Amino acid sequence: MKSKNLARGFTLLELLVVMVIIGLLAAYVGPRFFSQIGKSEVKAARAQIDGLEKAIDQYRIDVGHYPSTEDGLAALMTRPANEKKWSGPYLKKALPNDPWGRPYEYRQPGEHGDYDLLSYGKDGQPGGSGEAEDINNWE
């Protein structure tokens, strides 16, 4: 018995079906994947605010008061002119911007506590929801 030599390979129709299936999977998974990126930026901002709070509290322990609004968060990295008890820098790395590239807002005294520390989220505007929601140290 001789076996027939059959041409092996895929037909154009089979390749098109596979490409359509891959396209459908990408359309289904893609938006879910990219929504996770936005959630991770919000989590990163919350983590950075937590770290900045700890540095601000250490500043207060050393100096006796929180940095003024005028000195801002820069007081965590460089000694303000009139602070003799400053023992910084209070951050191991450079002062971070929020995950969207803007500086964190710092106000002392704060409207919600001893100081307010916040990021306006992805849109950079007060208010918003989702990725555009404000991220702060009082909620």
Side-chain angles (χ1 to χ4, degrees):
M1 299 187 124
K2 290 185 177 180
S3 64
K4 292 183 180 179
N5 256 348
L6 297 175
R8 299 193 185 261
F10 297 106
T11 66
L12 181 59
L13 182 61
E14 290 170 328
L15 290 174
L16 289 174
V17 168
V18 169
M19 288 174 49
V20 167
I21 291 171
I22 290 172
L24 289 171
L25 286 173
Y28 179 73
V29 173
R32 292 176 188 262
F33 173 75
F34 288 112
S35 72
Q36 295 301 316
I37 292 173
K39 288 179 185 176
S40 68
E41 289 173 333
V42 170
K43 287 179 183 177
R46 290 189 196 285
Q48 285 178 333
I49 285 177
D50 184 55
L52 289 170
E53 280 184 298
K54 290 176 178 150
I56 291 167
D57 290 340
Q58 185 62 48
Y59 178 99
R60 181 185 168 276
I61 289 169
D62 288 349
V63 176
H65 58 84
Y66 291 110
S68 67
T69 300
E70 293 78 27
D71 290 336
L73 296 175
L76 300 174
M77 297 303 294
T78 56
R79 178 191 304 264
N82 57 350
E83 295 299 344
K84 294 181 172 98
K85 296 180 183 178
W86 189 86
S87 298
Y90 296 95
L91 297 171
K92 291 181 181 180
K93 297 180 180 178
L95 187 63
N97 284 333
D98 69 13
W100 301 278
R102 290 182 291 277
Y104 285 97
E105 297 284 326
Y106 173 78
R107 297 182 200 112
Q108 196 284 322
E111 295 175 18
H112 305 279
D114 292 327
Y115 61 89
D116 291 349
L117 182 60
L118 69 138
S119 165
Y120 288 121
K122 186 175 184 175
D123 66 353
Q125 303 296 320
S129 62
E131 293 176 35
E133 182 179 7
D134 298 348
I135 303 153
N136 54 55
N137 68 323
W138 60 87
E139 291 179 352

